[in-house]
Structures are given as structure tokens and as C-alpha cells.
């Protein structure tokens, strides 16, 4: 699947911001954007999940950071939808330490996230940036794209996703220093929205499930898929998107299972569509 372009096939034409909510099918709200009441270049709305950068026109770089510091021993995932057309000097998604001054370049057009040694970013131009150095990394993103960020503060790895397709490890970051999610934009009247924000402690169970998920034979087992979806709902959303792009064959059958969720100790009913299980049944008959 082509990762570039918009996340969905909704009409993205015209000057208006994206109005669809495709890709926002589940709620996960660990944090929001930090209010900056004395900064005229940032305007927050929708419970501090939407950001309007440089209202009306731009004279430099505007930036925002999340309310929650990311600490050692945890994994963090968040997704951002680009609501407006993207052009100009730069729009960058990434992380940075508390030392990053978000207002230092409000009168200059630069890629603030990644500009110094305290921040790491993924530019809309497809480059990754750190210490002012740019490296080719992935496709460009644009209006309607969903940019995902996966930060592992146990291993110190930072990965980016575009329209829920992994682009690979971009950086090794310090895992013993708190980091914050950040976005910067040099565009006037440009908007983004948080789609999802979630976190979980690194555990042996999660590590095992992550290893299993890379094995096609095991990842198709309904019970394991259900537990995986509960622990890591975003992986389930990726699977849903992939399945939605496939035409279900006539021999697909629906199974209803009852399992015990491993992290909340509550019963949950799930429906699992599995061609693999059906084929096994047919072989036995």
C-alpha cells in the first residue's frame, strides 16, 4: 500500500480543513497539547487536541508540546492528522527535551524540532532532522495524512509511521532523560489534530506478544490476536485498516469467542474473522 498522501479516500480538495474523522475509530487520550496563553502564534481547541499554528498569517516558526513527559521504562504512541494543506519551510513532528525553547524562533522560518541536539523530528518533506542535520527517511506527508510516532523509552528507539505503515527506526534517543512530544510549523493558518495518545509500561508479557506478532502463523490465532488488541489497540487498528482494503471472500466465516483480558481481568466478547481457521476445519472434514 502506498503510504504517501491522505489516510483515506475522502475529498481533500479546496482550502477548507479536513472534515472527515477516518482513522479516529478508537479513543485513547493519555495527554493533550500544553496551553500557551501568552503565545499569539498558537491556538488550541477541541479539549486541547487541535492546534492552529500562526493564525491568519506567519512571521516565523510556531511550536507546541504535549502535557505529559515521557519517562524511562515506558513505551509511548501518538498519532497526528494533518488538517490543512502543507507547504513552505517546514512542518515537523517529533520529540524534544524540556530544554527546547518553543518560542525562540517565532520570527524565523526554521525546522525547530530537530534544529538542535535537544530534539528529533520527522519533516513533511520526508527527512528526519537532529542537530540541524537532515537525512532522507520516508515519503512526504500532506493534508489528510496521519503521522504516527512510537517511542520506546526502554530501548531508546524512535520510530515514525505514515498512514499506519511503519517507516523504521529513525533515531536512538536518550532513555534516561524525560522527553516531550512536539510539533512545529512555519505555515500560516495551519492545523493538526491528535488522533490518539497512549502509553504502557514495558513488561515481559508485552515483549513476548510483540515477538509473536511478527510470526504470521501465531499472530492469526484468535485468542492471541484478541489479547494483543487489548494490550496494544493501535496494532489492531492497523489490522482493521488492512482488512478493510481486502475484499472478503465468500468462504469467510465469523467466530464469536469469549476470553479473559489479561490486563483488566474482565470478560470481553469479540468477533474474529479468520480464513485460516475455516481452512483447517475443511481439511478435517
Amino acid at each position: 500500500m502506498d503510504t504517501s498522501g491522505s489516510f483515506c479516500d475522502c475529498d481533500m480538495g479546496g482550502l477548507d480543513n479536513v472534515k472527515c474523522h477516518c482513522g479516529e475509530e478508537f479513543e485513547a487520550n493519555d495527554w493533550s497539547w500544553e496551553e500557551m496563553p501568552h503565545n499569539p502564534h498558537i491556538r488550541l481547541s477541541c479539549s486541547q487536541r487541535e492546534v492552529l499554528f500562526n493564525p491568519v498569517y506567519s512571521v516565523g516558526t510556531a511550536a507546541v508540546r504535549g502535557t505529559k513527559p515521557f519517562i524511562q521504562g515506558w513505551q509511548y504512541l501518538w498519532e497526528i492528522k494533518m488538517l490543512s494543506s502543507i507547504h513552505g519551510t517546514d512542518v515537523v513532528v517529533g520529540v524534544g527535551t524540556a530544554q527546547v525553547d518553543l518560542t525562540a524562533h517565532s520570527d524565523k522560518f526554521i525546522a525547530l524540532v530537530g534544529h538542535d541536539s535537544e530534539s528529533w523530528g520527522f519533516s513533511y518533506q520526508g527527512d528526519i532532522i537532529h542537530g540541524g542535520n537532515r537525512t532522507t527517511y520516508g515519503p512526504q506527508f500532506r493534508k489528510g495524512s496521519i503521522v504516527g510516532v512510537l517511542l520506546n523509552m526502554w530501548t531508546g528507539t524512535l520510530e515514525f509511521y505514515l498512514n499506519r505503515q511503519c517507516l523504521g527506526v529513525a533515531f536512538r534517543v536518550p532513555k534516561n532523560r524525560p522527553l516531550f512530544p512536539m510539533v512545529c510549523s512555519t505555515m500560516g493558518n495551519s492545523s493538526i489534530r491528535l488522533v490518539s495518545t497512549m502509553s504502557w509500561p514495558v513488561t515481559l508479557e508485552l515483549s513476548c506478544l510483540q515477538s509473536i506478532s511478527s510470526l504470521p502463523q501465531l499472530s492469526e490465532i484468535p485468542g492471541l490476536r484478541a489479547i494483543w488488541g487489548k494490550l496494544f489497540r493501535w496494532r489492531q487498528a492497523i489490522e482493521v485498516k488492512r482488512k478493510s482494503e481486502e475484499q472478503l471472500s465468500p468462504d469467510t466465516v465469523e467466530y464469536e469467542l469469549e476470553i479473559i483480558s489479561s490486563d483488566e481481568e474482565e470478560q470481553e466478547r469479540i468477533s474474529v474473522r479468520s480464513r485460516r481457521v475455516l481452512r483447517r476445519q475443511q481439511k478435517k472434514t
Side-chain angles (χ1 to χ4, degrees):
M1 182 179 63
D2 184 11
T3 58
S4 61
S6 173
F7 175 80
C8 62
D9 295 326
C10 296
D11 183 13
M12 298 294 166
L15 299 177
D16 293 337
N17 285 352
V18 173
K19 297 210 171 31
C20 78
H21 289 273
C22 298
E24 304 175 43
E25 63 273 14
F26 61 97
E27 292 189 6
N29 305 316
D30 272 11
W31 51 268
S32 58
W33 297 116
E34 186 175 81
E35 289 191 89
M36 305 175 71
H38 303 297
N39 186 343
H41 306 294
I42 295 292
R43 187 179 300 167
L44 303 182
S45 60
C46 299
S47 300
Q48 298 172 236
R49 296 181 66 78
E50 288 193 14
V51 185
L52 175 62
F53 296 98
N54 300 308
V56 184
Y57 64 91
S58 176
V59 294
T61 306
V64 68
R65 76 177 188 182
T67 55
K68 181 176 182 177
F70 298 158
I71 60 175
Q72 188 172 10
W74 282 67
Q75 292 189 55
Y76 300 89
L77 167 76
W78 64 104
E79 291 182 311
I80 298 169
K81 180 178 280 188
M82 303 295 148
L83 301 182
S84 57
S85 298
I86 304 178
H87 54 82
T89 302
D90 233 327
V91 174
V92 187
V93 177
V95 298
T97 70
Q99 302 304 313
V100 176
D101 185 350
L102 301 179
T103 62
H105 301 282
S106 58
D107 59 348
K108 299 177 182 178
F109 297 95
I110 69 166
L112 187 147
V113 180
H115 175 69
D116 56 22
S117 62
E118 299 293 319
S119 58
W120 299 258
F122 174 35
S123 164
Y124 87 96
Q125 301 177 50
D127 301 328
I128 51 176
I129 316 171
H130 175 61
N133 298 314
R134 306 179 75 104
T135 304
T136 301
Y137 175 66
Q140 296 184 6
F141 54 85
R142 63 183 186 185
K143 180 179 180 180
S145 297
I146 292 181
V147 178
V149 190
L150 180 60
L151 173 64
N152 189 323
M153 290 293 280
W154 177 260
T155 60
T157 54
L158 179 63
E159 301 176 58
F160 294 98
Y161 286 70
L162 182 53
N163 295 328
R164 295 198 172 134
Q165 295 293 304
C166 181
L167 302 180
V169 174
F171 296 109
R172 299 282 176 178
V173 298
K175 53 191 177 183
N176 58 349
R177 298 179 64 190
L179 299 176
F180 291 86
M182 296 180 179
V183 182
C184 71
S185 174
T186 61
M187 288 177 50
N189 201 32
S190 57
S191 299
I192 63 167
R193 178 167 61 231
L194 276 175
V195 172
S196 59
T197 59
M198 62 186 78
S199 60
W200 56 93
V202 175
T203 63
L204 179 59
E205 180 183 38
L206 180 61
S207 298
C208 290
L209 287 173
Q210 286 177 313
S211 298
I212 288 175
S213 71
S214 64
L215 303 175
Q217 300 88 342
L218 295 180
S219 63
E220 289 293 328
I221 297 175
L224 287 176
R225 290 182 61 188
I227 296 172
W228 174 257
K230 192 65 178 177
L231 290 171
F232 198 2
R233 289 168 288 174
W234 184 67
R235 293 285 189 189
Q236 194 175 54
I238 292 178
E239 183 70 6
V240 168
K241 179 170 173 59
R242 185 180 69 82
K243 290 291 186 182
S244 70
E245 295 173 349
E246 297 179 355
Q247 184 175 2
L248 290 177
S249 63
D251 61 348
T252 300
V253 65
E254 185 174 280
Y255 294 88
E256 191 173 77
L257 305 176
E258 188 171 280
I259 66 165
I260 301 296
S261 173
S262 63
D263 62 339
E264 293 185 358
E265 297 301 325
E266 63 178 3
Q267 288 191 344
E268 175 185 10
R269 283 199 168 271
I270 61 170
S271 281
V272 178
R273 292 184 181 275
S274 175
R275 298 185 183 88
R276 192 182 298 271
V277 175
L278 179 61
R279 287 198 293 268
R280 288 173 182 167
Q281 279 195 345
Q282 290 174 337
K283 288 180 180 179
K284 292 179 181 179
T285 59

